[in-house]
Amino acid sequence: MRTAFNEQSQLILEAPTGAGKSTALPLAMLAWPEINGKIIMLEPRRVAARNVAQFIAKQLGQAVGQDVGYRVRGDTKVSKNTRLEIVTEGILTRMIQHDPELAGVAVIIFDEIHERHLPTDLGFALALEVQQSLRDDLTIIAMSATLSGLPLSNLMPEARQISSQGRSFDVQHHYQPCPAQQPWLMHMAKVINDTVNDASLSEYQLGSVLAFLPGKGEINKLARLLRERLEPTWLICPLYGDLSPAEQDRAIGLTEPGKRKIVLATNVAESSLTIEGITIVIDSGYRREASFNPKTGVTRLGLKRISQASAVQRSGRAGRLAPGYCVRLWSQEEHGRLRKVDEPEISLSELTSMALDCASWGAKTFSELSLLTAPPAIHEQVAWQLLQQLALTDPQRKLTALGRQAYALGCHPRLAHMLLKAKQVASEQSLPQLCVLACILAGIIEARGLPKKGADIHHYLTEALHGQIKQQVRQWQQSLAISGQLQDAISQASTRDISYLLALAYPDRIGKARGQDGFLLSNGTGVVIAADDSLAHEPWLVVADFQETQGRNAGQVYLAARLDERLFDHELSDLVTREVQGGWDEAKGRFFAEKHTKIGQIIIKVDTGIAPQRADITAALLAQVRLKGLTILNRDAALIQLQYRVELARFYASEHDWPCLTDTHLMATLTDWLGPYIEQVNSLAALAKVDAYGLVKNRLSWQQQTLLDQLVPTHWPMATGTRAPIRYQMPLDANGDFYHSEVDQGRAVLSVRLQEALGLAQSPSILHGKMIVTMELLSPAQRPLAVTADLASFWQGPYVEVKKEMRGRYPRHLWPDDPVNTVATKFTKKKTPGL
């Protein structure tokens, strides 16, 4: 590794769990004299960052904060002597934004990069750009337990790749799926109890147990079940991100003599984190996966099966110090069906904060960054739209002055907007407590593990008087340079002030009651609130937190405030829009116009009796066409044939750049080709008389119209002087649009009496011979006798039978024995010269 380090500035290290990537390597690097600067190592989780820093510092016989320190949100232990900093991912992004040259930094290590957290992907992209443009002496090391599905080589094609087998021990796997009809948590409790008491597993029972669960709720439920079943000698230790450092250390560290522990953990224990003494892993196989819904602007939580890669990571925790044992609560067959790797967060997450980072960096799209995976376009679009709505970026996606201040605060852009606008209003109106209240609300919204007091955020204000929320509120007060007592702000807080502040952060989540169906938010989303909640029967709300879950049509409100409607006339008047909408009243058979006063998609008031303007009538007419289709127009056979002819020309003579005239395209472009020509139309009856054929034909230039008549003619000149009509037929798909296939590419059918086709040796062709015309040969009475696209074969075969049958029926007409060498006629034999 050291040799590669001295030869290459980009390294990729693949090593399994327990190989010492997170601890042994950075510890060794501290002794390398060639590293002239600080080492920054990213850990995806705060628990792991603290734990790794403490472990390495202990190996050096030092306290954390000397040679080895850490930075996580809300907790920093570093000094001017710190040479190795363990940081969480977002910290690095801030460091680069603050100092793009990363002065004093020699190495950046991305640990567990395979987990694909959103801040990791962003930090990695920024670090690569810094290395390529400003710091070619900077070394970047990407470390992963597996490179499967990880496109590192795309961004680091010249990187040196190093593999290590590590020092892990064998782990025996046992599959024990949950029986049907039994809750899986009950099954998991039974499996843990059976496993720790199974005499046949004594070789694994000298250590402790690590159980993986999807979240805090399941951990607490399982803890209660286990305490009912197990002896008091067992310590039940939850482990998740919301716990205090002391509680996390209790789960991670060695147990006291005579005790064994069962650690109930989320994904926080999947990698990097070393939990002492684990020899048994019980894996539920579930994870809580957050998936952003761009339609509603919220993240939907769902219980998902883990990937095969995640299962390997989890089971490997049992084999770090000795042979281990892993029970998987699913079948071996199902294991083979699990996805190979987890989806990266950038494909699933809300991207507003990342967009603000992007704008701060000077990029206008995510594609300008060297990202491992491109985000969904709609997710990125929603993020930029929200930033512009909050006035943090301009239409060109450049940071505004407010945006620069928001980025400096380091919280979610929604909350940053609320804090900064509150400070502005507080200053203008001499209301200092308003900004303190904004800090309190932001602290509550960002807090984890709030007690259950209903949905009204007013009930949680006193939570800001202690603990981590108080610490965070004080930090924002310091950042905003505002003073004020929290207790005073809480006691003076009014519903009007609270709802106003929340609306600054969530203008798209103002909700109006809709009877028994909950509330309609201004972004068009439906939400519900518990029937017994104090806010359930309010006419208006502003929602700070709601969640969508699988199997539910509407999101569940968790934090909100009653909204004072008077705000629409004053403080929130900028959110109110007024527009006149016109339409066609089907029942009354007339046009109408209404003035809608709206907040987003919520209609506050409707004013009727307004005389429709010309633009409203035109818009209503076009809306009727969109609703009822082109048949509402004078869409005659000539127009349909024109569409068919142009489509054939587009297929067989595409070099002439023909316009698209399909129904779908015409419907999509109504405003262009129909709108300007119905300015004098005031009724549906008049609309039905519009010359639709002429309007559509004018989509073709004069040269194209002339060329179309040559290539795809409407008639064919016969030797008799007759202009025989050609009708075109096209295959249609399920939507009624044209399509071409090898089997059916459409056809041209020429209808003419058989006697007028005499003398033709072959069927005519069009489109420079690319399409053979199908002949529909008619009797003297204009009834079909035969249809053929091969006239030569018809004369030689089927014609003989037609001649026999028709001679007796039409004796006065010509039925020659040699039709190819007979002159065509449109008369009877008596009137035909030479007969």
Side-chain angles (χ1 to χ4, degrees):
M1 179 68 184
R2 187 171 179 180
T3 301
F5 179 88
N6 289 319
E7 296 175 351
Q8 178 59 268
S9 62
Q10 293 182 345
L11 303 175
I12 300 174
L13 173 60
E14 181 180 21
T17 300
K21 298 189 303 298
S22 309
T23 53
L25 176 60
L27 176 62
M29 292 175 68
L30 285 173
W32 295 358
E34 55 266 41
I35 297 180
N36 185 22
K38 187 177 294 186
I39 302 170
I40 304 293
M41 184 165 78
L42 272 77
E43 286 297 336
R45 298 177 175 87
R46 288 177 288 179
V47 179
R50 281 193 292 259
N51 182 249
V52 168
Q54 289 166 356
F55 180 86
I56 298 176
K58 185 178 179 180
Q59 303 307 302
L60 294 172
Q62 299 178 354
V64 176
Q66 297 181 31
D67 281 352
V68 181
Y70 66 80
R71 294 178 191 263
V72 301
R73 186 173 182 182
D75 187 12
T76 298
K77 287 190 177 180
V78 297
S79 67
K80 62 180 181 180
N81 299 320
T82 301
R83 295 187 293 135
L84 170 63
E85 284 190 23
I86 317 297
V87 303
T88 45
E89 304 133 312
I91 302 292
L92 175 68
T93 301
R94 293 260 156 190
M95 292 173 66
I96 295 176
Q97 295 271 23
H98 179 71
D99 176 17
E101 292 189 4
L102 290 176
V105 176
V107 183
I108 301 178
I109 302 174
F110 290 86
D111 194 16
E112 309 297 355
I113 197 171
H114 66 277
E115 293 192 11
R116 300 301 308 279
H117 290 200
L118 182 59
T120 300
D121 280 14
L122 177 58
F124 187 62
L126 295 184
L128 286 175
E129 188 166 331
V130 167
Q131 185 190 55
Q132 293 163 6
S133 60
L134 300 172
R135 287 285 310 281
D136 57 2
D137 61 324
L138 180 68
T139 298
I140 295 177
I141 302 175
M143 302 197 304
S144 171
T146 173
L147 293 177
S148 175
L150 192 62
L152 281 173
S153 57
N154 293 342
L155 300 183
M156 304 169 70
E158 304 300 323
R160 177 78 62 84
Q161 294 197 18
I162 303 168
S163 296
S164 169
Q165 297 304 313
R167 297 179 292 119
S168 59
F169 294 86
D170 289 338
V171 176
Q172 180 184 345
H173 295 95
H174 179 65
Y175 293 88
Q176 198 166 338
C178 181
Q181 308 304 319
Q182 182 178 358
W184 67 267
L185 265 179
M186 295 289 292
H187 174 64
M188 190 169 189
K190 181 179 183 302
V191 169
I192 292 175
N193 184 57
D194 292 347
T195 302
V196 300
N197 291 300
D198 188 344
S200 66
L201 301 176
S202 58
E203 64 176 303
Y204 306 113
Q205 292 172 350
L206 297 176
S208 295
V209 178
L210 172 59
F212 283 99
L213 294 105
K216 172 184 173 181
E218 291 85 1
I219 286 175
N220 290 333
K221 289 178 184 178
L222 183 59
R224 290 193 294 270
L225 292 173
L226 292 177
R227 289 190 182 105
E228 296 171 358
R229 289 168 167 78
L230 296 175
E231 297 293 329
T233 54
W234 283 98
L235 295 177
I236 310 299
C237 302
L239 181 59
Y240 48 85
D242 291 351
L243 293 174
S244 67
E247 291 172 308
Q248 293 170 355
D249 291 342
R250 179 171 176 264
I252 295 169
L254 288 170
T255 58
E256 58 188 91
K259 294 277 190 177
R260 292 172 63 199
K261 68 180 175 183
I262 298 177
V263 179
L264 308 181
T266 60
N267 275 359
V268 71
E270 194 169 294
S271 56
S272 294
L273 194 63
T274 299
I275 302 177
E276 300 291 347
I278 299 298
T279 54
I280 296 175
V281 165
I282 311 293
D283 189 355
S284 70
Y286 289 114
R287 68 192 293 256
R288 189 80 65 204
E289 187 171 273
S291 179
F292 180 66
N293 183 351
K295 291 183 179 179
T296 61
V298 299
T299 298
R300 174 179 297 173
L301 294 176
L303 202 61
K304 300 287 187 180
R305 276 296 189 192
I306 61 173
S307 65
Q308 293 182 23
S310 185
V312 171
Q313 282 284 108
R314 292 182 175 189
S315 65
R317 313 306 288 178
R320 281 198 160 189
L321 305 175
Y325 183 75
C326 174
V327 182
R328 291 171 171 168
L329 303 187
W330 62 92
S331 68
Q332 192 164 4
E333 178 188 10
E334 185 180 358
H335 184 79
R337 297 197 302 268
L338 296 178
R339 52 188 171 181
K340 298 297 182 183
V341 296
D342 293 318
E343 282 195 76
E345 281 188 359
I346 197 170
S347 299
L348 304 171
S349 298
E350 185 216 5
L351 301 175
T352 311
S353 293
M354 185 172 176
L356 190 62
D357 268 303
C358 195
S360 180
W361 189 246
K364 293 180 173 57
T365 65
F366 292 178
S367 61
E368 295 179 34
L369 303 177
S370 300
L371 294 169
L372 287 165
T373 303
I378 184 62
H379 290 201
E380 180 178 356
Q381 179 183 343
V382 167
W384 288 112
Q385 287 174 347
L386 179 58
L387 290 183
Q388 189 173 338
Q389 183 181 10
L390 297 175
L392 303 184
T393 60
D394 62 19
Q396 287 72 46
R397 297 182 177 178
K398 293 180 63 177
L399 276 187
T400 61
L402 188 67
R404 285 190 289 274
Q405 296 175 56
Y407 185 80
L409 283 177
C411 55
H412 192 281
R414 288 183 182 271
L415 300 182
H417 179 259
M418 176 183 71
L419 292 170
L420 293 168
K421 295 296 286 186
K423 179 181 179 181
Q424 178 185 337
V425 173
S427 175
E428 293 172 351
Q429 302 182 15
S430 299
L431 297 171
Q433 297 303 324
L434 186 69
C435 194
V436 179
L437 179 59
C439 294
I440 292 170
L441 294 175
I444 293 168
I445 292 169
E446 280 210 335
R448 297 181 179 182
L450 288 173
K452 293 184 178 180
K453 298 182 180 181
D456 193 343
I457 200 170
H458 209 124
H459 298 158
Y460 298 90
L461 297 184
T462 55
E463 296 296 319
L465 296 177
H466 48 78
Q468 293 183 346
I469 300 180
K470 179 179 180 180
Q471 181 182 353
Q472 180 62 74
V473 171
R474 290 302 191 196
Q475 287 179 5
W476 279 326
Q477 283 187 271
Q478 185 177 0
S479 298
L480 293 166
I482 60 167
S483 59
Q485 296 300 314
L486 304 189
Q487 184 62 63
D488 292 342
I490 292 171
S491 62
Q492 297 173 24
S494 66
T495 297
R496 185 186 181 99
D497 288 343
I498 292 174
S499 59
Y500 166 59
L501 291 171
L502 292 183
L504 292 176
Y506 303 99
D508 53 335
R509 297 188 192 172
I510 291 172
K512 183 180 182 182
R514 52 180 187 182
Q516 299 298 317
D517 296 327
F519 294 81
L520 175 68
L521 300 187
S522 50
N523 64 11
T525 304
V527 296
V528 295
I529 195 168
D532 58 351
D533 195 277
S534 61
L535 297 177
H537 303 292
E538 294 293 339
W540 290 88
L541 296 179
V542 56
V543 178
D545 181 28
F546 77 97
Q547 293 290 334
E548 293 182 320
T549 54
Q550 292 173 321
R552 292 186 181 180
N553 294 326
Q556 180 71 40
V557 175
Y558 290 107
L559 276 181
R562 180 172 66 85
L563 182 69
D564 190 330
E565 291 180 68
R566 292 173 296 177
L567 291 168
F568 297 149
D569 298 323
H570 302 285
E571 291 92 333
L572 298 180
S573 60
D574 288 347
L575 300 180
V576 178
T577 60
R578 293 171 177 83
E579 59 185 36
V580 175
Q581 291 190 353
W584 172 261
D585 189 324
E586 196 75 46
K588 297 181 179 179
R590 62 178 177 83
F591 294 103
F592 68 91
E594 297 174 342
K595 183 179 181 181
H596 291 182
T597 303
K598 303 171 69 177
I599 292 283
Q601 296 188 37
I602 297 175
I603 298 176
I604 301 175
K605 185 174 64 172
V606 177
D607 295 322
T608 59
I610 299 173
Q613 301 298 309
R614 179 65 249 174
D616 300 328
I617 295 175
T618 299
L621 289 169
L622 295 177
Q624 284 296 299
V625 178
R626 294 187 186 98
L627 178 66
K628 298 179 179 179
L630 294 174
T631 53
I632 197 175
L633 301 172
N634 181 21
R635 186 177 185 241
D636 56 14
L639 174 53
I640 295 173
Q641 285 293 299
L642 175 64
Q643 291 177 282
Y644 290 170
R645 292 167 62 209
V646 171
E647 191 63 20
L648 285 170
R650 279 163 51 84
F651 184 73
Y652 288 105
S654 58
E655 67 274 11
H656 296 292
D657 193 25
W658 305 96
C660 181
L661 299 184
T662 64
D663 282 6
T664 298
H665 186 77
L666 290 178
M667 290 291 287
T669 57
L670 282 176
T671 305
D672 298 331
W673 66 270
L674 181 60
Y677 301 99
I678 57 174
E679 292 298 325
Q680 304 303 316
V681 175
N682 293 304
S683 68
L684 294 184
L687 181 65
K689 297 178 182 178
V690 169
D691 180 18
Y693 170 79
L695 295 180
V696 174
K697 186 177 181 180
N698 286 338
R699 305 292 286 171
L700 301 168
S701 66
W702 181 85
Q703 292 84 354
Q704 287 174 324
Q705 293 181 31
T706 302
L707 183 60
L708 184 68
D709 288 339
Q710 296 172 1
L711 295 177
V712 196
T714 59
H715 294 77
W716 188 267
M718 305 302 295
T720 59
T722 295
R723 294 182 70 251
I726 300 177
R727 69 180 185 277
Y728 294 91
Q729 299 171 344
M730 291 289 296
L732 304 178
D733 62 19
N735 297 319
D737 275 335
F738 314 132
Y739 76 94
H740 304 275
S741 68
E742 294 182 3
V743 176
D744 190 353
Q745 297 175 356
R747 66 175 183 166
V749 180
L750 187 155
S751 296
V752 68
R753 285 181 294 185
L754 183 145
Q755 283 73 19
E756 295 193 65
L758 295 172
L760 280 176
Q762 301 288 341
S763 300
S765 65
I766 58 175
L767 290 160
H768 297 311
K770 294 178 182 178
M771 173 174 272
I772 303 299
V773 175
T774 297
M775 302 287 290
E776 183 183 50
L777 301 174
L778 308 177
S779 70
Q782 302 285 345
R783 293 187 176 89
L785 293 177
V787 177
T788 180
D790 187 351
L791 192 60
S793 296
F794 172 77
W795 292 137
Q796 295 175 8
Y799 171 71
V800 176
E801 296 300 320
V802 171
K803 178 181 63 175
K804 289 180 181 178
E805 183 178 350
M806 291 296 108
R807 268 180 173 173
R809 186 175 299 180
Y810 300 102
R812 292 187 300 170
H813 290 78
L814 192 62
W815 303 97
D817 294 332
D818 186 8
V820 174
N821 293 308
T822 302
V823 177
T825 181
K826 56 182 177 180
F827 303 112
T828 61
K829 289 188 287 187
K830 184 176 181 181
K831 293 182 179 181
T832 300
L835 293 179

